[in-house]
Structures are given as structure tokens and as C-alpha cells.
Amino acid sequence: GWTKHLVGAWDCATLLGFAACMTADDTPDTTWINVSVDPQHQGCGFGSALTRAAEDASPASTTRFVASAYRPTSDVIDALIRGFAQPLGYAVATTETVVELDLRSTRLPAPLVPNGYEVFTYVNGVPEQLREQVGQIKGLVDAEAPNADLG
């Protein structure tokens, strides 16, 4: 399981941004922080305030904070690091390129399933008996993630 907190920045009834902090039960020393701020309100300090609030909401066992940033180029990432992450005390741990796909309007074909196998979908998490294997495969994928700018 996970311990999760969600923190929001509001102006009356308007959500300006939010932050989530998530700590896995099996790694209580590490908390993931995700911050999203409405583009019209970026650069005003809301992201920094939300980050600090998410850090404060994390479990006492946390000794390391981790965050991911997705931007179109390394130049934009560098600007984010200089203007946002470094002043908060964050340092770059890895530089990975992530491809995001918009599947909302896509019609995907039914998956091909080799004879003798079944495909299952699990909602709200991976069953406990499969978590170790999923973690191992995810670790292999993360280790092989490409490093570069995408066009």
C-alpha cells in the first residue's frame, strides 16, 4: 500500500494548483512529490508553496523526496531546475526521456494473446502476489529508458 496526501492551492472557488505526496509502505524513507500548477499561475510561487506543503504532509519516516518533471526539451527542463527545483534544494538524479501518448481518441485493436496465456486487467493496484515481479520488470524498463531529447 501507499500513504497518499493531496494538497491544493485555491483562490476562492478556483483551483490554482495541487501537489500530491506518496510514500510506499515498502520504502518508507522515500516520498514522491508531484506538483501541478495552472499555467496562468506558474512562476508566482504556488508550485514552491505546494511542494513545501506536500513535504510537510509526508510521513516522519521520509528522508528522501523524489519528483519527476516532464517537459518537451532539455532546455525547458534546465530552466525548471534552475528556477524551481534548485531553490527548493532538489538536485537532478536522472535525465530520462518519456514519451506520452494521448489514447483518448484512439481505437486500439484487441490485444493478441499467445495460445495458452490469458490477459488480465487489475483496477486499483497490482495484486500482492504479483507485486515483486512487476517491480522487477519495471526496474528493468526504467534502467533501459532512453536519455535524449525527442522531436
Side-chain angles (χ1 to χ4, degrees):
W2 290 78
T3 300
K4 302 175 186 177
H5 291 90
L6 188 63
V7 180
W10 297 84
D11 180 11
C12 296
T14 303
L15 179 64
L16 306 178
F18 63 90
C21 66
M22 299 158 286
T23 307
D25 292 346
D26 61 346
T27 54
D29 62 322
T30 302
T31 293
W32 284 86
I33 305 268
N34 295 311
V35 179
S36 298
V37 176
D38 183 305
Q40 296 178 21
H41 297 95
Q42 290 177 354
C44 300
F46 292 113
S48 297
L50 287 165
T51 300
R52 289 294 187 229
E55 290 172 354
D56 291 344
S58 69
S61 60
T62 300
T63 59
R64 183 172 82 112
F65 293 103
V66 181
S68 297
Y70 304 105
R71 297 292 188 273
T73 68
S74 61
D75 291 341
V76 179
I77 286 284
D78 291 342
L80 178 72
I81 291 165
R82 283 190 311 275
F84 176 69
Q86 285 177 339
L88 288 168
Y90 285 77
V92 175
T94 63
T95 54
E96 298 177 359
T97 301
V98 176
V99 177
E100 294 187 32
L101 304 175
D102 182 0
L103 300 177
R104 288 176 290 195
S105 60
T106 303
R107 297 186 68 188
L108 298 175
L112 297 175
V113 180
N115 288 336
Y117 291 88
E118 296 178 272
V119 174
F120 296 97
T121 299
Y122 298 101
V123 178
N124 296 325
V126 177
E128 190 169 334
Q129 70 272 18
L130 301 176
R131 289 180 187 163
E132 181 179 354
Q133 296 172 53
V134 170
Q136 290 170 349
I137 291 173
K138 183 167 177 7
L140 293 172
V141 171
D142 287 347
E144 294 298 322
N147 297 295
D149 289 340
L150 290 180

